[in-house]
Amino acid sequence: MSETYDFLFKFLVIGSAGTGKSCLLHQFIENKFKQDSNHTIGVEFGSRVVNVGGKTVKLQIWDTAGQERFRSVTRSYYRGAAGALLVYDITSRETYNALTNWLTDARTLASPNIVIILCGNKKDLDADREVTFLEASRFAQENELMFLETSALTGENVEEAFLKCARTILNKIESGELDPERMGSGIQYGDASLRQLRQPRSTTAQTKQQCNC
Amino acid sequence: MATETEKDKTPDREEVRAPDTDTFKACEPEDAQGTSVASSTIDTSEAPLTIESDESPSAIEMEEIPMAKGSVISWDRKGPLALASPPASGPPMGEAVAVAGGLPVLELRLEDEGEKPSPEGTESVLSEEPEMESLFPQFDSLAVAAEMKNEAASPVSSIGTTYSQELLDMYTINLHRIEKDVQRCDRNYWYFTPANLEKLRNIMCSYIWQHLDIGYVQGMCDLLAPLLVILDDEAMAFSCFTELMKRMNQNFPHGGAMDTHFANMRSLIQILDSELFELMHQNGDYTHFYFCYRWFLLDFKRELVYDDVFAVWETIWAAKYTSSGHFVLFIALALVELYRDIILENNMDFTDIIKFFNEMAEHHNIKQVLTLARDLVCKVQTLIENK
């Protein structure tokens, strides 16, 4: 539980229902395809420590419900996210068409500086493709997103997507473009210091409880 | 009140229902007791919650469902006929199911677009099934004049009038959403074979057709699934689901009750466990009770294995009469309290807590949880009495 790391980044996985958000997360965390996953209710959660450019980074990844009706709920998780995977399904134009809305949400509710990578998931289902690589990469370019086609089934590009996003954030920190100290940056320094900060609180809480008794 | 007239129709409903409800034998004594106690919300002194009992407390709730039909009319704003739950009445296996199953499919094929039944049409097509009108009437306002291209022999097309394109589009979108979720609903559970998933889809499509103003929202499949598993009958499951949703709708984003649940949790933890409250207060932020979100939305369905879901749901339904109408809240509180030491020892913040409970899903000791929940009801009750 107490891994050490240099940074902690808060990530979001967003996109329409059924695009494979949970499966991408599961593939990234567990290195396998989540065969019988159910639709996500509320928010689920995963974390993994990765090594990026010589730094250890803990990715704290929030997997959200895809249905629009839950946006009022999932939006509350957007705040202070440093990075996001914006997912659509290459076999569903509908999910691709919804991207603009998701993008607006992410930029307005998370942080204007949020680093977003567009993921065209279900790359393995090329026969059913409804959105071409070219079209999506143009969209990505116009909206200043990174772009990869991924497959949560085979694992292709899944790790790359998360790492690419993390690397970009790290570069921006190093270049001074992102300030981890700023409130809601979605970035925290390694947890050794953090835990020290938190520890006394619970001790005070305990003493207080004893007093109450 | 329309209650009387509606009740006139109930006899045949009762007939049909009787054999199917064997599994839910009425617990007369508890029921009677329940009614007498019903007025006091936090009364646990009698009728302890014995979850292992074969004569499960759910009997009360299940019994209530068909009987409630008459009196519930006013709840449904779509007019008196909308209330009847079609599959529960008449010859259920035959027509009712066929219609429930047939409608969505027809809607998907655009060839039938734009049909709307007239009352006479309903009679003729659905024969002795006047309640089936309830599938249609709320959309009268949206109906446009008949412009028939009806080659398809369908309950809808042969009826004579047309639905607006807007309405049909809305329904099609909903069908699409339902389809996505049905396909992945509890597919690791033995019951959900393709045939039974088809039943799940039929019921959900019928329900949404009657509640298009709400539309399909993720989570509804989770609430329907256990009912279908235990009843294994489309018509019964439809009726029970319709009843269940009357309470559960408020927890969905369109219902707005979730914040109340969070506020109640907060208050109860503050009263009963100040140490934990302190930790949550310090480590938390505006989202710190979201770890309960799924609990309240689905009555803990995703937190538990199927057998435990049945036990918990039956307890919730029975508790309304024997313990507290807010028993859901106390189960939630019990889940928190059960792991309070772990939460405190690890100094968890709200992300840790969300993660913890996500990982604990389907690993809870439900007897322990329910017992603790009951104790907590008593505890709060005592606190109020001694106040």
Side-chain angles (χ1 to χ4, degrees):
Chain A
M1 226 185 171
S2 56
E3 336 82 325
T4 50
Y5 46 79
D6 299 310
F7 292 103
L8 184 148
F9 295 167
K10 178 177 172 179
F11 268 35
L12 297 169
V13 189
I14 54 175
S16 298
T19 50
K21 296 179 292 300
S22 301
C23 290
L24 280 173
L25 176 61
H26 195 261
Q27 175 66 255
F28 178 65
I29 305 276
E30 306 283 338
N31 265 315
K32 55 182 181 242
F33 181 60
K34 197 176 183 188
Q35 195 63 250
D36 46 15
S37 78
N38 217 327
H39 53 270
T40 305
I41 299 291
V43 73
E44 287 177 19
F45 192 84
S47 65
R48 189 180 142 186
V49 178
V50 291
N51 202 305
V52 191
K55 295 264 194 293
T56 47
V57 178
K58 181 173 181 174
L59 301 182
Q60 184 188 75
I61 308 154
W62 297 82
D63 175 25
T64 56
Q67 193 179 348
E68 271 184 34
R69 294 287 279 277
F70 284 102
R71 277 204 200 175
S72 54
V73 182
T74 51
R75 276 172 165 182
S76 48
Y77 295 98
Y78 280 43
R79 199 192 297 181
L85 269 74
L86 174 56
V87 188
Y88 71 96
D89 169 359
I90 66 154
T91 71
S92 159
R93 177 151 293 274
E94 186 196 341
T95 65
Y96 176 78
N97 291 340
L99 287 175
T100 321
N101 286 336
W102 287 108
L103 199 57
T104 317
D105 264 15
R107 292 221 162 111
T108 50
L109 297 165
S111 118
N113 298 319
I114 187 171
V115 174
I116 304 173
I117 182 160
L118 180 66
C119 295
N121 195 31
K122 309 196 186 178
K123 188 176 193 285
D124 49 288
L125 298 176
D126 200 56
D128 304 320
R129 180 189 284 277
E130 285 184 5
V131 182
T132 65
F133 182 89
L134 193 67
E135 184 180 6
S137 63
R138 250 189 236 125
F139 175 86
Q141 209 163 21
E142 283 163 15
N143 292 281
E144 296 173 351
L145 309 168
M146 295 176 284
F147 173 55
L148 276 178
E149 283 193 343
T150 57
S151 167
L153 178 69
T154 65
E156 187 180 351
N157 279 342
V158 175
E159 181 128 346
E160 287 77 353
F162 285 94
L163 292 185
K164 205 170 174 176
C165 199
R167 198 174 301 122
T168 310
I169 295 169
L170 209 56
N171 288 342
K172 287 191 174 186
I173 294 171
E174 278 159 9
S175 72
E177 200 178 327
L178 278 177
D179 177 12
E181 307 274 357
R182 194 182 53 82
M183 272 288 285
S185 67
I187 303 160
Q188 288 172 18
Y189 289 110
D191 78 337
S193 53
L194 194 75
R195 296 231 168 229
Q196 277 165 13
L197 277 175
R198 275 206 228 144
Q199 211 55 53
R201 283 178 183 162
S202 91
T203 350
T204 37
Q206 270 160 16
T207 22
K208 207 174 174 186
Q209 172 70 12
Q210 281 156 8
C211 293
N212 284 348
C213 296
Chain B
M1 265 239 216
T3 315
E4 296 308 318
T5 47
E6 201 56 28
K7 270 187 177 156
D8 291 341
K9 291 181 197 162
T10 42
D12 64 331
R13 238 177 244 145
E14 303 273 295
E15 273 167 36
V16 180
R17 183 172 50 82
D20 289 330
T21 41
D22 276 353
T23 36
F24 297 99
K25 282 188 213 87
C27 306
E28 259 81 36
E30 277 192 54
D31 197 7
Q33 194 182 49
T35 0
S36 64
V37 181
S39 51
S40 79
T41 24
I42 324 180
D43 189 333
T44 37
S45 48
E46 341 174 45
L49 299 159
T50 47
I51 50 160
E52 309 91 326
S53 155
D54 262 344
E55 297 210 337
S56 65
S58 76
I60 297 163
E61 181 77 7
M62 285 309 186
E63 271 306 299
E64 190 190 48
I65 289 167
M67 274 147 50
K69 270 183 197 120
S71 55
V72 155
I73 290 180
S74 55
W75 176 82
D76 200 312
R77 57 200 109 84
K78 283 121 198 164
L81 283 168
L83 129 93
S85 304
S89 58
M93 304 308 158
E95 284 111 295
V97 172
V99 173
L103 249 185
V105 181
L106 291 164
E107 295 293 332
L108 272 175
R109 295 187 202 127
L110 289 175
E111 67 213 15
D112 333 292
E113 78 196 30
E115 275 107 2
K116 148 98 182 57
S118 70
E120 316 88 73
T122 317
E123 291 281 315
S124 62
V125 175
L126 302 167
S127 54
E128 349 27 76
E129 199 55 81
E131 287 91 344
M132 287 317 276
E133 273 183 295
S134 64
L135 285 175
F136 314 118
Q138 66 261 45
F139 304 117
D140 282 351
S141 56
L142 283 163
V144 298
E147 187 191 323
M148 309 258 296
K149 15 171 177 173
N150 66 329
E151 280 106 282
S154 80
V156 183
S157 67
S158 40
I159 279 160
T161 20
T162 323
Y163 289 116
S164 72
Q165 191 56 45
E166 183 195 357
L167 176 78
L168 293 172
D169 289 347
M170 201 203 298
Y171 193 51
T172 309
I173 291 168
N174 274 282
L175 292 180
H176 187 56
R177 288 180 188 145
I178 294 169
E179 186 57 37
K180 270 187 182 174
D181 282 357
V182 163
Q183 278 172 13
R184 48 185 175 157
C185 181
D186 293 335
R187 51 190 153 176
N188 53 350
Y189 190 66
W190 63 271
Y191 181 84
F192 289 106
T193 58
N196 285 336
L197 282 177
E198 185 66 31
K199 290 184 194 168
L200 190 81
R201 179 185 297 110
N202 289 343
I203 299 167
M204 190 55 73
C205 291
S206 305
Y207 177 81
I208 294 306
W209 178 242
Q210 286 189 314
H211 299 87
L212 255 187
D213 52 333
I214 293 168
Y216 174 75
V217 187
Q218 288 189 328
M220 289 183 179
C221 275
D222 287 88
L223 291 172
L224 171 57
L227 295 175
L228 182 60
V229 169
I230 199 84
L231 297 164
D232 193 29
D233 176 283
E234 271 183 63
M236 285 294 289
F238 175 88
S239 286
C240 293
F241 177 66
T242 305
E243 281 304 309
L244 179 67
M245 284 307 292
K246 289 176 186 173
R247 176 169 61 88
M248 300 309 285
N249 258 318
Q250 56 172 344
N251 299 329
F252 281 82
H254 55 265
M258 197 55 85
D259 288 339
T260 315
H261 293 312
F262 292 165
N264 288 337
M265 280 297 281
R266 196 188 146 88
S267 307
L268 283 170
I269 292 174
Q270 189 169 18
I271 294 166
L272 296 170
D273 193 341
S274 56
E275 190 186 355
L276 186 64
F277 181 78
E278 187 85 351
L279 176 87
M280 287 178 143
H281 195 63
Q282 286 179 343
N283 284 349
D285 67 1
Y286 54 100
T287 42
H288 57 297
F289 276 96
Y290 269 100
F291 64 89
C292 309
Y293 188 87
R294 198 171 67 182
W295 304 358
F296 290 121
L297 190 78
L298 305 179
D299 266 1
F300 308 95
K301 189 265 176 182
R302 287 266 182 113
E303 317 313 314
L304 307 166
V305 294
Y306 260 83
D307 283 345
D308 291 345
V309 171
F310 300 139
V312 164
W313 283 20
E314 289 179 350
T315 308
I316 291 169
W317 298 337
K320 187 179 164 191
Y321 302 97
T322 59
S323 170
S324 163
H326 297 287
F327 204 76
V328 172
L329 198 57
F330 287 91
I331 298 175
L333 195 62
L335 274 177
V336 174
E337 284 303 304
L338 206 57
Y339 304 104
R340 70 175 299 278
D341 291 342
I342 300 175
I343 294 170
L344 284 168
E345 272 164 30
N346 291 286
N347 192 21
M348 291 185 181
D349 66 8
F350 80 102
T351 60
D352 297 327
I353 297 177
I354 288 185
K355 196 179 171 196
F356 174 73
F357 279 112
N358 278 343
E359 282 164 6
M360 282 304 290
E362 305 192 347
H363 292 98
H364 302 291
N365 178 340
I366 203 56
K367 274 188 198 171
Q368 213 181 345
V369 173
L370 287 176
T371 311
L372 182 54
R374 205 183 111 222
D375 293 347
L376 287 166
V377 174
C378 297
K379 204 170 167 183
V380 170
Q381 192 188 3
T382 319
L383 278 175
I384 292 169
E385 277 169 6
N386 297 344
K387 189 186 166 196

